[in-house]
Amino acid sequence: MAFYILENTPKMTLLFLILACFMQLCFCAVYKVGESAGWTTIGNVDYKLWAATKTFQVGDVIVFQYSPQFHNVMQVTHAEYQSCNASAPIATHTTGKDSITITAHGHHFFLCGVPGHCQAGQKVDINVLRVSSSVSPSQSPSSLSHIPAVAVPAPSPSHAFYWLPSKIGVVFAVALVLLVSFA
């Protein structure tokens, strides 16, 4: 048995490295918008401050939890977000527990389309920054975004980070374990 393990150490090392790479792809953060208050107009939730204290990444899941009798979630453009215009949303969600996976960098704008709710502050800008924070020489800082940056306090520890295995990650992990077992 010890001979088998020593003989296959390079194979096993490679398999574990591949497994580690795939497992890295399987983790994301899950954020409940508004924390315990959820998506509401009650309780004076500051969604701008809430979003500013988070570091969103591609693959993260944003959960909007609310009463579908009184609220909804609409993904809108920047102009619609600024003017609280819900007449032509990119997407509309109405389940009361909507999980939205972030698939791209940049700003993702959401608001409640019930009349008066957006004006009362029920809107959020989810800003997903690129991993690299450096600016290339061909880009000036002003060309990077037409939306002004905001000074943000350091994020406080949160219960928002959970591991959430994707189906493809689980498939690869199981395949690798079986490959190692039968090698």
Side-chain angles (χ1 to χ4, degrees), residues 4-160:
Y4 174 79
I5 292 172
L6 289 175
E7 180 181 278
N8 291 309
T9 299
K11 274 189 200 177
M12 302 258 303
T13 303
L14 179 61
L15 287 175
F16 284 118
L17 287 173
I18 292 170
L19 178 62
C21 290
F22 282 116
M23 290 308 289
Q24 180 65 30
L25 296 174
C26 298
F27 292 96
C28 66
V30 176
Y31 295 98
K32 181 180 172 190
V33 177
E35 304 291 338
S36 61
W39 185 239
T40 184
T41 53
I42 301 171
N44 298 323
V45 179
D46 187 342
Y47 294 107
K48 185 175 184 175
L49 177 62
W50 174 85
T53 62
K54 310 292 181 253
T55 304
F56 300 105
Q57 297 181 10
V58 171
D60 287 351
V61 177
I62 310 302
V63 177
F64 290 87
Q65 195 165 7
Y66 57 93
S67 172
Q69 296 171 300
F70 303 108
H71 305 286
N72 60 35
V73 177
M74 295 185 167
Q75 185 171 5
V76 296
T77 65
H78 182 233
E80 292 167 330
Y81 174 83
Q82 286 186 311
S83 64
C84 286
N85 179 355
S87 64
I90 296 166
T92 302
H93 306 275
T94 59
T95 69
K97 187 165 184 174
D98 305 314
S99 295
I100 301 168
T101 301
I102 301 301
T103 59
H105 295 97
H107 291 266
H108 304 271
F109 302 100
F110 300 93
L111 56 80
C112 181
V114 174
H117 289 201
C118 178
Q119 292 84 350
Q122 195 176 6
K123 62 182 188 175
V124 66
D125 172 6
I126 305 295
N127 186 13
V128 182
L129 301 174
R130 293 202 181 273
V131 175
S132 172
S133 62
S134 63
V135 177
S136 70
S138 64
Q139 292 178 312
S140 67
S142 63
S143 71
L144 291 178
S145 175
H146 62 281
I147 301 170
V150 188
V152 186
S156 61
S158 165
H159 300 77

